[in-house]
Amino acid sequence: MLAVPASAQQRNLGPATGKVRIEQIQVAFIGSGQVGGGTLSFRGRNHAITAGGLGIGGIGASKLTANGTVYGLTRLDDFPGAYLQLREGWALGDQGRGTLWLRNDKGVTLKLATRRKGLQLSLGADGVLIGFK
């Protein structure tokens, strides 16, 4: 996913099918972990979600807030599950920013703009498990 420019990725994904907001606490020292939750907006309704996972790459700790667009979601039942997360970004105090792309095996893709607070450098891949509360 990262090899293709973001504008080309969006064109290939088709129209947006929803919006998502996720808040997580992330801790990393070679390995990484995160726990949190948020909201999925789909077809005029809001759904509370959980988000957590483990991964590799990075060092530090931060609070992440991510807002973004959902692509490829046609049935609500296709949203929960395991997502592969490709990330890049940084955090120093309250100035951190980055981009997350998440995709599950049902073709649902999330493009998230992130803001981090804390001290963290991250570059790697994670497995993220998203569910409904």
Side-chain angles (χ1 to χ4, degrees), residues 1-25:
M1 271 192 176
L2 289 178
V4 179
S7 59
Q9 286 179 1
Q10 284 181 245
R11 282 195 302 272
N12 292 338
L13 296 172
T17 55
K19 296 282 183 187
V20 69
R21 177 179 173 85
I22 297 173
E23 293 184 1
Q24 289 185 322
I25 301 296

Side-chain angles (χ1 to χ4, degrees), residues 58-112:
I59 187 167
S62 66
K63 178 182 178 185
L64 173 128
T65 301
N67 292 291
T69 306
V70 180
Y71 298 94
L73 182 61
T74 57
R75 297 179 328 120
L76 189 60
D77 291 342
D78 290 343
F79 188 77
Y83 285 76
L84 175 62
Q85 174 180 316
L86 302 174
R87 60 185 158 89
E88 61 182 357
W90 54 273
L92 180 60
D94 62 357
Q95 302 299 314
R97 288 188 168 79
T99 302
L100 298 177
W101 286 91
L102 295 104
R103 186 175 178 95
N104 72 12
D105 64 346
K106 296 174 186 138
V108 178
T109 302
L110 311 179
K111 179 190 177 193
L112 303 170

Side-chain angles (χ1 to χ4, degrees), residues 26-70:
Q26 296 186 328
V27 178
F29 183 75
I30 302 173
S32 64
Q34 61 262 353
V35 63
T39 305
L40 166 68
S41 298
F42 178 65
R43 295 188 177 161
R45 298 191 61 188
N46 290 329
H47 307 274
I49 61 172
T50 60
L54 297 172
I56 58 170
I59 187 167
S62 66
K63 178 182 178 185
L64 173 128
T65 301
N67 292 291
T69 306
V70 180

